[in-house]
Amino acid sequence: MTNLFISKYIVLIIILFIGVGCFRTPEEPYSIAKSATTASAMVVTAHPLATEVGIQVLEAGGNAVDAAIAVQFALAVVYPIAGNIGGGGFMLVRQPDGEAMALDYRERAPLAASRDMYLDSTGQIVDGMSTLGHRAIGVPGTVDGMMTAHARYGTLELRDLLEPSIALARNGILLTAREAEELNLARAEIEQVNLSTAPFVQMDPWQTGDLLIQRDLAHTLERIAHAGRAGFYEGETARLILEDQRAGGGILTQQDLDEYQSVWRTPIRGWYRDLEILSMPPPSSGGVALLQLLEGMEDQQMTADDLLTVPSMHRMAETMRRVYADRAAYLGDPDHVTVPVDQLLDSLYIRARMADIRPDSVTPSTQVQEGDWDTTESEQTTHFSIIDKAGMAVSVTTTLNLEYGSKVIVQGAGFFMNNEMDDFSAKPGVPNAFGLIGSSANAIAPGKRMLSSMTPSMVVDQGQIRLIVGSPGGSKIITTVFQIILHTLGLEQPLPEVVALPRMHHQWKPDTLFVERDRFHPDTLSALRALGHQVIERSPIGRVDAIWIDANGRRTGAADPRGDDHAGGY
Ligand code: GLY
């Protein structure tokens, strides 16, 4: 099996090098498929090599969770901007019989963390402290998460799931143009917080097609393959993490590593028309907000002709504004605060909440507060979707938070650590890196999980899995997934076309309607401004990797044209 993987890996490299000559544009090392339709299995990820690793695992007899574990480790090698072992994530699993579970391997605040740790003596936030360097790091959950998923669902040996990633790290990967540019952009910050910047900085700027070899990471992955959880949270890797923390002024301890545990949670379930939606519960805000958005649009009579017209964009923006006001007030780690999920998802509540939306004017965010009821009571992330031949479906969103996380490379271990602490509300009412406002529900506390927007989701139609979907994009993840579901299922547009459509986003505060730059007609933007929206054009929103399963069981993978994302299967 292991040898099979290595020989397949070599064959894959040869194919990709042949692809250099035959298919690719002169400067890109890989040929990339933005959509693919197959009969049995499908994998869609942010990188062609990670997609191929997932396919190899499925072809070797692994199930969708085996493939997801292998892809998670492969992304840590081939997509270090967001793929990770130093971060965390969420995995939604649905078995062919309908049983669904949500695995929370979100990072936690270190035990030495405190509510005001990012404030100076005058109570002001210290710029950059929660985003750059060792103090920004939460206790990583990814390796524990993968071991927990493997214990419950895995069928192949752990070593076989890690072997492709070890080979990729040891032998090197060719950088795409996008990856070379991203590493060059991050160079100054990587140099600022690391004694040694190897292997992510070289003398000259990175160029498309350069070889990135990650020997330290290969050794770290070897230790995980050999010892499982203990290969990361104990022994040599733990020693390197803690030594790096001491040298860089971090606060993680061995107790933090020992006590980290991922958690199986019950997925959020709801309905959009007659379709069942499965998504991630708190500490993600994603599932709750997604269902609020869909319910908030349910009574809208929309047709395919309405796609991204002024009235539908206005209605979506006004719905988003109200949902994000609730997110700021009520969402946090359910193991530390009471999150009123049932109230937030009550359809009477949501309809009442949307009742003051006017078709011809905006409600300024200053006039929108969180909703009330009678009883008292980051952009660089990556998503992948997988379905196997038996119909087991996996939807995973995983992150370091911002690009390359804290930019801290664990010296000698070869991987980036997250800066997930910025997803807490460092000070109520003050925005984080995504402009998100929070309340005490998301205040920092030792061992607490920071609120997330990651929204790995699925749609089920009369017991049959129909859609597997998710996206990176920090606060924009939720609205991205919402638009994909609305346009694919509400308006019955083909998934690959929907994934390529222009996207918009509103999050209550700032009171701004963000739209993708140069993707909307100037007349549309003028009409939205005339209604009162403060429209700002910006860089791409989200990067969706999704799978559509039709009534005959055929799988269509859709990889977002906004990145190097690749769909493949058999
Ligand atoms: N770090 C981005 C998120 O979890 O929402």
Side-chain angles (χ1 to χ4, degrees):
M1 176 70 183
T2 298
N3 288 339
L4 177 71
F5 269 127
I6 292 171
S7 54
K8 284 203 166 189
Y9 170 72
I10 291 166
V11 169
L12 171 66
I13 290 290
I14 291 168
I15 290 170
L16 292 169
F17 269 90
I18 292 169
V20 168
C22 300
F23 306 113
R24 69 174 174 89
T25 55
E27 65 278 8
E28 284 292 352
Y30 313 114
S31 63
I32 290 178
K34 289 299 170 194
S35 75
T37 300
T38 63
S40 286
M42 179 60 62
V43 181
V44 193
T45 83
H47 197 285
L49 290 174
T51 296
E52 292 302 333
V53 165
I55 294 169
Q56 286 171 26
V57 169
L58 294 173
E59 284 179 334
N63 64 22
V65 172
D66 289 317
I69 294 166
V71 167
Q72 172 84 48
F73 285 116
L75 286 168
V77 180
V78 303
Y79 191 63
I81 193 168
N84 67 82
I85 55 173
F90 299 132
M91 176 187 287
L92 186 62
V93 181
R94 184 182 184 275
Q95 307 240 54
D97 67 3
E99 187 208 283
M101 290 300 287
L103 180 61
D104 165 1
Y105 55 100
R106 181 72 163 163
E107 301 91 325
R108 296 181 359 159
L111 295 168
S114 56
R115 196 193 61 180
D116 296 337
M117 63 186 278
Y118 297 118
L119 305 185
D120 64 16
S121 55
T122 65
Q124 302 306 309
I125 289 191
V126 181
D127 201 26
M129 198 175 174
S130 64
T131 53
L132 183 65
H134 293 74
R135 299 280 283 204
I137 297 170
V139 186
T142 294
V143 175
D144 185 83
M146 294 308 101
M147 300 307 121
T148 304
H150 188 251
R152 187 176 188 123
Y153 293 112
T155 60
L156 299 187
E157 293 295 322
L158 184 62
R159 166 154 283 282
D160 289 333
L161 304 182
L162 274 139
E163 201 61 52
S165 303
I166 295 168
L168 286 165
R170 191 188 300 122
N171 301 336
I173 56 156
L174 302 177
L175 295 179
T176 67
R178 192 175 268 104
E179 284 182 307
E181 187 190 348
E182 287 162 346
L183 277 170
N184 292 335
L185 283 173
R187 176 178 183 146
E189 288 193 327
I190 294 174
E191 287 174 338
Q192 197 179 325
V193 297
N194 291 290
L195 285 173
S196 162
T197 57
F200 299 105
V201 173
Q202 60 175 13
M203 183 92 76
D204 297 321
W206 292 102
Q207 306 283 340
T208 310
D210 279 355
L211 187 67
L212 174 66
I213 294 176
Q214 301 174 71
R215 286 194 191 88
D216 287 344
L217 179 57
H219 290 135
T220 300
L221 294 172
E222 281 278 8
R223 289 191 288 273
I224 298 168
H226 176 70
R229 187 190 189 284
F232 185 86
Y233 296 91
E234 299 171 32
E236 178 66 0
T237 314
R239 188 188 69 73
L240 291 167
I241 291 172
L242 298 179
E243 198 172 283
D244 189 61
Q245 284 284 303
R246 274 190 293 278
I251 58 173
L252 257 65
T253 62
Q254 184 62 51
Q255 193 183 352
D256 283 310
L257 300 179
D258 289 342
E259 290 187 7
Y260 182 84
Q261 272 192 330
S262 27
V263 182
W264 288 107
R265 301 190 188 274
T266 305
I268 288 278
R269 279 176 197 262
W271 295 89
Y272 171 63
R273 303 191 172 163
D274 52 358
L275 302 164
E276 186 184 16
I277 312 290
L278 295 176
S279 194
M280 195 67 207
S284 177
S285 59
V288 170
L290 175 66
L291 287 174
Q292 285 192 308
L293 287 168
L294 289 168
E295 176 88 35
M297 291 292 290
E298 177 134 15
D299 61 352
Q300 294 303 295
Q301 300 301 319
M302 291 175 68
T303 67
D305 295 338
D306 292 331
L307 274 177
L308 301 174
T309 57
V310 172
S312 81
M313 287 178 74
H314 170 65
R315 171 71 199 205
M316 284 197 283
E318 290 296 300
T319 307
M320 291 171 184
R321 185 196 305 276
R322 286 157 177 80
V323 166
Y324 275 73
D326 280 3
R327 179 196 189 279
Y330 296 121
L331 274 294
D333 180 351
D335 298 337
H336 285 250
V337 294
T338 304
V339 182
V341 172
D342 292 343
Q343 290 87 342
L344 290 168
L345 294 183
D346 184 285
S347 53
L348 291 177
Y349 164 73
I350 297 171
R351 274 154 206 243
R353 188 99 180 81
M354 306 304 160
D356 64 349
I357 294 178
R358 305 256 163 279
D360 52 359
S361 64
V362 306
T363 317
S365 288
T366 48
Q367 291 171 25
V368 174
Q369 305 305 324
E370 68 272 20
D372 204 355
W373 42 79
D374 291 343
T375 53
T376 48
E377 208 150 327
S378 135
E379 306 223 1
Q380 281 299 346
T381 292
T382 186
H383 178 84
F384 55 94
S385 297
I386 299 177
I387 187 163
D388 65 22
K389 62 179 188 296
M392 185 185 221
V394 179
S395 185
V396 174
T397 314
T398 179
T399 189
L400 290 165
N401 195 24
L402 303 182
E403 298 83 356
Y404 309 102
S406 61
K407 315 290 189 293
V408 170
I409 305 161
V410 177
Q411 303 288 295
F415 62 90
F416 285 104
M417 280 290 222
N418 68 84
N419 61 349
E420 218 68 62
M421 290 298 283
D422 191 63
D423 271 350
F424 279 117
S425 173
K427 183 178 177 184
V430 177
N432 73 356
F434 299 115
L436 287 167
I437 309 275
S439 68
S440 55
N442 189 33
I444 303 171
K448 185 177 175 183
R449 284 160 152 87
M450 53 296 285
L451 184 61
S452 173
S453 297
M454 293 189 289
T455 314
S457 301
M458 298 182 192
V459 179
V460 178
D461 183 4
Q462 298 177 59
Q464 297 303 312
I465 181 83
R466 194 59 78 226
L467 179 68
I468 309 167
V469 62
S471 175
S475 56
K476 290 162 282 298
I477 294 173
I478 304 165
T479 51
T480 296
V481 173
F482 161 64
Q483 286 167 84
I484 299 295
I485 293 179
L486 192 69
H487 293 151
T488 309
L489 291 149
L491 302 179
E492 297 178 2
Q493 300 298 298
L495 181 65
E497 286 176 27
V498 168
V499 167
L501 279 176
R503 292 197 274 263
M504 52 164 281
H505 171 77
H506 200 300
Q507 61 182 48
W508 176 52
K509 291 183 182 175
D511 190 347
T512 303
L513 175 53
F514 295 100
V515 297
E516 290 185 304
R517 187 173 294 116
D518 299 332
R519 300 290 315 272
F520 291 85
H521 196 282
D523 292 350
T524 303
L525 302 186
S526 299
L528 287 164
R529 287 190 176 108
L531 278 172
H533 288 286
Q534 298 177 42
V535 180
I536 290 191
E537 292 188 88
R538 53 150 289 146
S539 51
I541 294 175
R543 233 172 106 166
V544 173
D545 287 334
I547 301 173
W548 170 256
I549 301 100
D550 71 17
N552 299 318
R554 291 183 66 76
R555 289 87 156 99
T556 295
D560 204 313
R562 292 162 182 80
D564 300 324
D565 308 53
H566 179 72
Y570 59 89

